[in-house]
Amino acid sequence: MSFKQQYQIVVGEFKKSVKIWLAYPILLVFWVIAPLMWLLPFIFQGKALVGGMQSEAFRNLTGSPNYLPFVLIGAMVSTYIFSGLWGVGNALREETYWGTLEYIIASPSSPILVLLGKTLAEFLYASVNVGLQALLATLFLGLNLTVTKILPVLIIVLLLVIGFYGFAIAFAGLTLLIKEAHGWVHTIEWIFYLFSPIRYPVEVSPITKTLSALIPLTYALVAIRTIILLNKSLVDLQKIILVLLIMDVILIVSGYLIFRASERRTKIAGTLSQY
């Protein structure tokens, strides 16, 4: 298959995903508002427990006493993770519901190209969501996101999603074997909520602090909060950037190998058409 044909497959899958989303525009509204609505209980909880949105104990853990910007950033960045997990990780399982998985596997093209098109579409979808969330948070919730901070934040986000989409591609392969995705996606979601600093600083417990070091989202959130809340530059984050680059290589390579192994095992077992 020529490079042009492979490019057309990626673009075709990208266009297909975008057309499906445009057919259900209410979902975009939901995913823009839902993460911000999710914050309200934590705002009320913070006021009830510490009498306001600032805490010296919180400053000792994070360097900033303000709780609200901390969880706002966690909600927005995690949108990329959960969008990729549901969109890319669950992509081939959705093809089984639509009755098109067998055609993809039997065609001369590689399923990896389909997943690549889906990955680009999910990145666009998540970026639109996060952009609107950031606008609302800046206008109405006091998030201090200046123009000079946007480029370094985008670089960190790219380093995060490149590796995570490698993980999502591996998960898409595993769904060919396990024939069930929703339960596993929810399990992974709660692992991220518990062991990465989406909602709270993981330094609050030695267990969460230790295990969070294995998750790329932890490093990305620390870096982005350092840029936005503590006004640091990328030069101050060289170690975190190096860790994310190493994780990207590991996740992309291992994700590809796991997908290929899962695809091969499914074909040998003859369970591709099983639901």
Side-chain angles (χ1 to χ4, degrees):
M1 181 171 287
S2 67
F3 176 80
K4 181 180 179 181
Q5 290 172 319
Q6 295 179 8
Y7 170 78
Q8 289 173 333
I9 292 172
V10 174
V11 172
E13 177 61 32
F14 176 85
K15 290 181 177 178
K16 184 191 81 175
S17 299
V18 171
K19 286 181 179 178
I20 291 173
W21 293 331
L22 293 177
Y24 304 96
I26 192 65
L27 287 178
L28 178 63
V29 177
F30 171 79
W31 284 113
V32 169
I33 296 176
L36 301 180
M37 291 292 290
W38 160 82
L39 288 175
L40 292 177
F42 293 95
I43 295 174
F44 298 146
Q45 186 177 2
K47 287 185 176 180
L49 294 178
V50 301
M53 293 309 297
Q54 295 191 348
S55 163
E56 283 305 311
F58 195 76
R59 184 203 294 272
N60 294 334
L61 289 173
T62 66
S64 171
N66 298 314
Y67 180 66
L68 182 57
F70 183 93
V71 291
L72 279 171
I73 294 169
M76 289 188 289
V77 176
S78 62
T79 296
Y80 280 102
I81 297 301
F82 299 132
S83 172
L85 195 58
W86 281 101
V88 180
N90 199 33
L92 294 184
R93 189 58 184 158
E94 287 183 339
E95 298 291 345
T96 63
Y97 300 144
W98 299 337
T100 51
L101 178 63
E102 292 87 346
Y103 295 99
I104 292 174
I105 298 296
S107 70
S109 66
S110 169
I112 290 289
L113 297 175
V114 175
L115 289 174
L116 183 57
K118 191 74 174 177
T119 297
L120 295 174
E122 282 297 330
F123 180 74
L124 173 64
Y125 186 70
S127 296
V128 172
N129 280 340
V130 172
L132 294 173
Q133 290 167 9
L135 180 62
L136 293 175
T138 303
L139 292 176
F140 302 110
L141 298 175
L143 182 67
N144 183 23
L145 183 58
T146 60
V147 175
T148 56
K149 296 176 182 176
I150 291 178
L151 179 59
V153 167
L154 287 178
I155 292 173
I156 299 297
V157 168
L158 278 176
L159 290 175
L160 169 66
V161 298
I162 287 173
F164 182 77
Y165 285 153
F167 171 81
I169 287 173
F171 187 76
L174 291 175
T175 62
L176 294 174
L177 284 173
I178 61 180
K179 310 299 181 186
E180 201 281 328
H182 284 74
W184 285 104
V185 170
H186 283 303
T187 301
I188 295 171
E189 273 186 342
W190 286 107
I191 288 174
F192 284 144
Y193 276 130
L194 181 59
F195 295 113
S196 60
I198 297 174
R199 295 177 172 175
Y200 61 88
V202 290
E203 291 83 358
V204 72
S205 162
I207 296 176
T208 56
K209 181 180 179 180
T210 301
L211 294 178
S212 70
L214 302 174
I215 303 174
L217 179 59
T218 299
Y219 299 95
L221 283 172
V222 169
I224 291 171
R225 284 170 177 146
T226 301
I227 293 170
I228 296 177
L229 302 181
L230 304 181
N231 298 314
K232 299 292 185 180
S233 67
L234 288 177
V235 177
D236 303 311
L237 302 169
Q238 293 180 22
K239 289 183 179 178
I240 292 179
I241 292 173
L242 179 61
V243 171
L244 285 172
L245 284 171
I246 293 172
M247 285 185 161
D248 282 352
V249 173
I250 294 173
L251 289 170
I252 289 291
V253 173
S254 60
Y256 176 81
L257 294 176
I258 290 172
F259 179 86
R260 283 302 190 194
S262 300
E263 180 192 16
R264 184 168 57 252
R265 187 171 176 181
T266 303
K267 289 180 177 177
I268 292 174
T271 59
L272 187 64
S273 62
Q274 289 183 359
Y275 290 82

PDB file of all heavy atoms in Angstrom, residues 112-135:
ATOM      1  N   ILE A 112      -4.092   0.050  12.463  1.00  0.00           N
ATOM      2  CA  ILE A 112      -3.333   1.137  13.096  1.00  0.00           C
ATOM      3  C   ILE A 112      -3.616   2.468  12.387  1.00  0.00           C
ATOM      4  O   ILE A 112      -3.705   3.522  13.022  1.00  0.00           O
ATOM      5  CB  ILE A 112      -1.818   0.837  13.067  1.00  0.00           C
ATOM      6  CG1 ILE A 112      -1.490  -0.318  14.021  1.00  0.00           C
ATOM      7  CG2 ILE A 112      -1.016   2.076  13.423  1.00  0.00           C
ATOM      8  CD1 ILE A 112      -1.596   0.035  15.488  1.00  0.00           C
ATOM      9  N   LEU A 113      -3.792   2.431  11.062  1.00  0.00           N
ATOM     10  CA  LEU A 113      -4.092   3.660  10.318  1.00  0.00           C
ATOM     11  C   LEU A 113      -5.460   4.206  10.718  1.00  0.00           C
ATOM     12  O   LEU A 113      -5.646   5.418  10.848  1.00  0.00           O
ATOM     13  CB  LEU A 113      -4.051   3.380   8.813  1.00  0.00           C
ATOM     14  CG  LEU A 113      -2.694   2.949   8.249  1.00  0.00           C
ATOM     15  CD1 LEU A 113      -2.831   2.580   6.774  1.00  0.00           C
ATOM     16  CD2 LEU A 113      -1.671   4.060   8.430  1.00  0.00           C
ATOM     17  N   VAL A 114      -6.425   3.303  10.916  1.00  0.00           N
ATOM     18  CA  VAL A 114      -7.750   3.727  11.373  1.00  0.00           C
ATOM     19  C   VAL A 114      -7.648   4.369  12.752  1.00  0.00           C
ATOM     20  O   VAL A 114      -8.241   5.419  13.027  1.00  0.00           O
ATOM     21  CB  VAL A 114      -8.713   2.523  11.403  1.00  0.00           C
ATOM     22  CG1 VAL A 114     -10.057   2.921  12.000  1.00  0.00           C
ATOM     23  CG2 VAL A 114      -8.903   1.966  10.003  1.00  0.00           C
ATOM     24  N   LEU A 115      -6.875   3.737  13.631  1.00  0.00           N
ATOM     25  CA  LEU A 115      -6.701   4.285  14.981  1.00  0.00           C
ATOM     26  C   LEU A 115      -5.958   5.623  14.946  1.00  0.00           C
ATOM     27  O   LEU A 115      -6.219   6.510  15.761  1.00  0.00           O
ATOM     28  CB  LEU A 115      -5.949   3.292  15.863  1.00  0.00           C
ATOM     29  CG  LEU A 115      -6.740   2.043  16.255  1.00  0.00           C
ATOM     30  CD1 LEU A 115      -5.853   1.066  17.006  1.00  0.00           C
ATOM     31  CD2 LEU A 115      -7.947   2.418  17.096  1.00  0.00           C
ATOM     32  N   LEU A 116      -5.029   5.777  13.998  1.00  0.00           N
ATOM     33  CA  LEU A 116      -4.306   7.040  13.885  1.00  0.00           C
ATOM     34  C   LEU A 116      -5.262   8.176  13.481  1.00  0.00           C
ATOM     35  O   LEU A 116      -5.203   9.280  14.029  1.00  0.00           O
ATOM     36  CB  LEU A 116      -3.183   6.907  12.853  1.00  0.00           C
ATOM     37  CG  LEU A 116      -2.291   8.136  12.664  1.00  0.00           C
ATOM     38  CD1 LEU A 116      -1.661   8.554  13.993  1.00  0.00           C
ATOM     39  CD2 LEU A 116      -1.193   7.859  11.631  1.00  0.00           C
ATOM     40  N   GLY A 117      -6.145   7.894  12.521  1.00  0.00           N
ATOM     41  CA  GLY A 117      -7.147   8.894  12.141  1.00  0.00           C
ATOM     42  C   GLY A 117      -8.062   9.227  13.301  1.00  0.00           C
ATOM     43  O   GLY A 117      -8.409  10.390  13.529  1.00  0.00           O
ATOM     44  N   LYS A 118      -8.462   8.183  14.062  1.00  0.00           N
ATOM     45  CA  LYS A 118      -9.306   8.395  15.234  1.00  0.00           C
ATOM     46  C   LYS A 118      -8.564   9.218  16.291  1.00  0.00           C
ATOM     47  O   LYS A 118      -9.162  10.076  16.963  1.00  0.00           O
ATOM     48  CB  LYS A 118      -9.702   7.038  15.807  1.00  0.00           C
ATOM     49  CG  LYS A 118     -10.775   7.108  16.867  1.00  0.00           C
ATOM     50  CD  LYS A 118     -12.115   7.382  16.254  1.00  0.00           C
ATOM     51  CE  LYS A 118     -13.221   7.310  17.280  1.00  0.00           C
ATOM     52  NZ  LYS A 118     -14.522   7.644  16.686  1.00  0.00           N
ATOM     53  N   THR A 119      -7.258   8.971  16.431  1.00  0.00           N
ATOM     54  CA  THR A 119      -6.450   9.700  17.417  1.00  0.00           C
ATOM     55  C   THR A 119      -6.405  11.185  17.087  1.00  0.00           C
ATOM     56  O   THR A 119      -6.579  12.041  17.966  1.00  0.00           O
ATOM     57  CB  THR A 119      -5.022   9.130  17.437  1.00  0.00           C
ATOM     58  OG1 THR A 119      -5.076   7.766  17.850  1.00  0.00           O
ATOM     59  CG2 THR A 119      -4.142   9.908  18.388  1.00  0.00           C
ATOM     60  N   LEU A 120      -6.186  11.517  15.814  1.00  0.00           N
ATOM     61  CA  LEU A 120      -6.146  12.925  15.410  1.00  0.00           C
ATOM     62  C   LEU A 120      -7.491  13.598  15.634  1.00  0.00           C
ATOM     63  O   LEU A 120      -7.569  14.749  16.071  1.00  0.00           O
ATOM     64  CB  LEU A 120      -5.732  13.024  13.934  1.00  0.00           C
ATOM     65  CG  LEU A 120      -4.310  12.552  13.617  1.00  0.00           C
ATOM     66  CD1 LEU A 120      -4.073  12.552  12.101  1.00  0.00           C
ATOM     67  CD2 LEU A 120      -3.283  13.433  14.313  1.00  0.00           C
ATOM     68  N   ALA A 121      -8.571  12.862  15.345  1.00  0.00           N
ATOM     69  CA  ALA A 121      -9.902  13.428  15.540  1.00  0.00           C
ATOM     70  C   ALA A 121     -10.185  13.643  17.025  1.00  0.00           C
ATOM     71  O   ALA A 121     -10.755  14.670  17.419  1.00  0.00           O
ATOM     72  CB  ALA A 121     -10.952  12.500  14.933  1.00  0.00           C
ATOM     73  N   GLU A 122      -9.788  12.694  17.871  1.00  0.00           N
ATOM     74  CA  GLU A 122      -9.999  12.846  19.311  1.00  0.00           C
ATOM     75  C   GLU A 122      -9.197  14.023  19.862  1.00  0.00           C
ATOM     76  O   GLU A 122      -9.663  14.735  20.747  1.00  0.00           O
ATOM     77  CB  GLU A 122      -9.599  11.565  20.044  1.00  0.00           C
ATOM     78  CG  GLU A 122     -10.613  10.454  19.958  1.00  0.00           C
ATOM     79  CD  GLU A 122     -11.942  10.810  20.602  1.00  0.00           C
ATOM     80  OE1 GLU A 122     -11.959  11.606  21.558  1.00  0.00           O
ATOM     81  OE2 GLU A 122     -12.969  10.308  20.127  1.00  0.00           O
ATOM     82  N   PHE A 123      -7.988  14.223  19.337  1.00  0.00           N
ATOM     83  CA  PHE A 123      -7.175  15.350  19.793  1.00  0.00           C
ATOM     84  C   PHE A 123      -7.855  16.673  19.446  1.00  0.00           C
ATOM     85  O   PHE A 123      -7.892  17.602  20.257  1.00  0.00           O
ATOM     86  CB  PHE A 123      -5.785  15.288  19.162  1.00  0.00           C
ATOM     87  CG  PHE A 123      -4.891  16.415  19.589  1.00  0.00           C
ATOM     88  CD1 PHE A 123      -4.345  16.443  20.856  1.00  0.00           C
ATOM     89  CD2 PHE A 123      -4.616  17.460  18.714  1.00  0.00           C
ATOM     90  CE1 PHE A 123      -3.528  17.497  21.266  1.00  0.00           C
ATOM     91  CE2 PHE A 123      -3.804  18.511  19.107  1.00  0.00           C
ATOM     92  CZ  PHE A 123      -3.260  18.527  20.388  1.00  0.00           C
ATOM     93  N   LEU A 124      -8.412  16.750  18.224  1.00  0.00           N
ATOM     94  CA  LEU A 124      -9.137  17.962  17.829  1.00  0.00           C
ATOM     95  C   LEU A 124     -10.355  18.176  18.720  1.00  0.00           C
ATOM     96  O   LEU A 124     -10.604  19.294  19.203  1.00  0.00           O
ATOM     97  CB  LEU A 124      -9.569  17.847  16.370  1.00  0.00           C
ATOM     98  CG  LEU A 124     -10.479  18.979  15.857  1.00  0.00           C
ATOM     99  CD1 LEU A 124      -9.736  20.304  15.885  1.00  0.00           C
ATOM    100  CD2 LEU A 124     -10.984  18.664  14.447  1.00  0.00           C
ATOM    101  N   TYR A 125     -11.110  17.105  18.950  1.00  0.00           N
ATOM    102  CA  TYR A 125     -12.327  17.199  19.768  1.00  0.00           C
ATOM    103  C   TYR A 125     -11.994  17.654  21.191  1.00  0.00           C
ATOM    104  O   TYR A 125     -12.638  18.552  21.745  1.00  0.00           O
ATOM    105  CB  TYR A 125     -13.008  15.835  19.797  1.00  0.00           C
ATOM    106  CG  TYR A 125     -14.354  15.811  20.473  1.00  0.00           C
ATOM    107  CD1 TYR A 125     -15.457  16.418  19.892  1.00  0.00           C
ATOM    108  CD2 TYR A 125     -14.524  15.161  21.690  1.00  0.00           C
ATOM    109  CE1 TYR A 125     -16.700  16.391  20.508  1.00  0.00           C
ATOM    110  CE2 TYR A 125     -15.765  15.127  22.320  1.00  0.00           C
ATOM    111  CZ  TYR A 125     -16.841  15.739  21.716  1.00  0.00           C
ATOM    112  OH  TYR A 125     -18.066  15.712  22.334  1.00  0.00           O
ATOM    113  N   ALA A 126     -10.968  17.040  21.784  1.00  0.00           N
ATOM    114  CA  ALA A 126     -10.575  17.408  23.147  1.00  0.00           C
ATOM    115  C   ALA A 126     -10.057  18.838  23.192  1.00  0.00           C
ATOM    116  O   ALA A 126     -10.313  19.574  24.158  1.00  0.00           O
ATOM    117  CB  ALA A 126      -9.515  16.442  23.666  1.00  0.00           C
ATOM    118  N   SER A 127      -9.328  19.261  22.148  1.00  0.00           N
ATOM    119  CA  SER A 127      -8.782  20.629  22.125  1.00  0.00           C
ATOM    120  C   SER A 127      -9.895  21.665  22.073  1.00  0.00           C
ATOM    121  O   SER A 127      -9.811  22.715  22.725  1.00  0.00           O
ATOM    122  CB  SER A 127      -7.850  20.802  20.919  1.00  0.00           C
ATOM    123  OG  SER A 127      -6.731  19.961  21.037  1.00  0.00           O
ATOM    124  N   VAL A 128     -10.947  21.380  21.287  1.00  0.00           N
ATOM    125  CA  VAL A 128     -12.098  22.300  21.244  1.00  0.00           C
ATOM    126  C   VAL A 128     -12.758  22.376  22.615  1.00  0.00           C
ATOM    127  O   VAL A 128     -13.067  23.461  23.121  1.00  0.00           O
ATOM    128  CB  VAL A 128     -13.107  21.843  20.169  1.00  0.00           C
ATOM    129  CG1 VAL A 128     -14.387  22.670  20.256  1.00  0.00           C
ATOM    130  CG2 VAL A 128     -12.496  21.970  18.784  1.00  0.00           C
ATOM    131  N   ASN A 129     -12.960  21.211  23.236  1.00  0.00           N
ATOM    132  CA  ASN A 129     -13.563  21.182  24.575  1.00  0.00           C
ATOM    133  C   ASN A 129     -12.739  21.978  25.577  1.00  0.00           C
ATOM    134  O   ASN A 129     -13.258  22.817  26.313  1.00  0.00           O
ATOM    135  CB  ASN A 129     -13.693  19.740  25.061  1.00  0.00           C
ATOM    136  CG  ASN A 129     -14.890  19.036  24.462  1.00  0.00           C
ATOM    137  OD1 ASN A 129     -15.822  19.684  23.992  1.00  0.00           O
ATOM    138  ND2 ASN A 129     -14.877  17.726  24.465  1.00  0.00           N
ATOM    139  N   VAL A 130     -11.442  21.684  25.619  1.00  0.00           N
ATOM    140  CA  VAL A 130     -10.565  22.327  26.604  1.00  0.00           C
ATOM    141  C   VAL A 130     -10.443  23.827  26.325  1.00  0.00           C
ATOM    142  O   VAL A 130     -10.397  24.643  27.255  1.00  0.00           O
ATOM    143  CB  VAL A 130      -9.176  21.656  26.607  1.00  0.00           C
ATOM    144  CG1 VAL A 130      -8.198  22.437  27.480  1.00  0.00           C
ATOM    145  CG2 VAL A 130      -9.295  20.225  27.110  1.00  0.00           C
ATOM    146  N   GLY A 131     -10.409  24.210  25.044  1.00  0.00           N
ATOM    147  CA  GLY A 131     -10.350  25.630  24.715  1.00  0.00           C
ATOM    148  C   GLY A 131     -11.555  26.391  25.243  1.00  0.00           C
ATOM    149  O   GLY A 131     -11.424  27.474  25.822  1.00  0.00           O
ATOM    150  N   LEU A 132     -12.748  25.803  25.077  1.00  0.00           N
ATOM    151  CA  LEU A 132     -13.962  26.440  25.586  1.00  0.00           C
ATOM    152  C   LEU A 132     -13.987  26.426  27.116  1.00  0.00           C
ATOM    153  O   LEU A 132     -14.414  27.402  27.752  1.00  0.00           O
ATOM    154  CB  LEU A 132     -15.195  25.728  25.020  1.00  0.00           C
ATOM    155  CG  LEU A 132     -15.384  25.868  23.503  1.00  0.00           C
ATOM    156  CD1 LEU A 132     -16.535  24.991  23.017  1.00  0.00           C
ATOM    157  CD2 LEU A 132     -15.661  27.330  23.145  1.00  0.00           C
ATOM    158  N   GLN A 133     -13.526  25.333  27.711  1.00  0.00           N
ATOM    159  CA  GLN A 133     -13.453  25.277  29.178  1.00  0.00           C
ATOM    160  C   GLN A 133     -12.500  26.348  29.712  1.00  0.00           C
ATOM    161  O   GLN A 133     -12.795  27.024  30.708  1.00  0.00           O
ATOM    162  CB  GLN A 133     -12.974  23.896  29.627  1.00  0.00           C
ATOM    163  CG  GLN A 133     -13.975  22.776  29.404  1.00  0.00           C
ATOM    164  CD  GLN A 133     -13.340  21.415  29.581  1.00  0.00           C
ATOM    165  OE1 GLN A 133     -12.204  21.286  30.025  1.00  0.00           O
ATOM    166  NE2 GLN A 133     -14.083  20.379  29.240  1.00  0.00           N
ATOM    167  N   ALA A 134     -11.340  26.497  29.070  1.00  0.00           N
ATOM    168  CA  ALA A 134     -10.367  27.499  29.511  1.00  0.00           C
ATOM    169  C   ALA A 134     -10.931  28.908  29.386  1.00  0.00           C
ATOM    170  O   ALA A 134     -10.696  29.767  30.255  1.00  0.00           O
ATOM    171  CB  ALA A 134      -9.080  27.367  28.692  1.00  0.00           C
ATOM    172  N   LEU A 135     -11.693  29.147  28.315  1.00  0.00           N
ATOM    173  CA  LEU A 135     -12.310  30.468  28.132  1.00  0.00           C
ATOM    174  C   LEU A 135     -13.312  30.755  29.250  1.00  0.00           C
ATOM    175  O   LEU A 135     -13.296  31.848  29.849  1.00  0.00           O
ATOM    176  CB  LEU A 135     -13.011  30.511  26.769  1.00  0.00           C
ATOM    177  CG  LEU A 135     -13.706  31.831  26.411  1.00  0.00           C
ATOM    178  CD1 LEU A 135     -12.692  32.961  26.344  1.00  0.00           C
ATOM    179  CD2 LEU A 135     -14.455  31.704  25.087  1.00  0.00           C
TER     180      LEU A 135
END
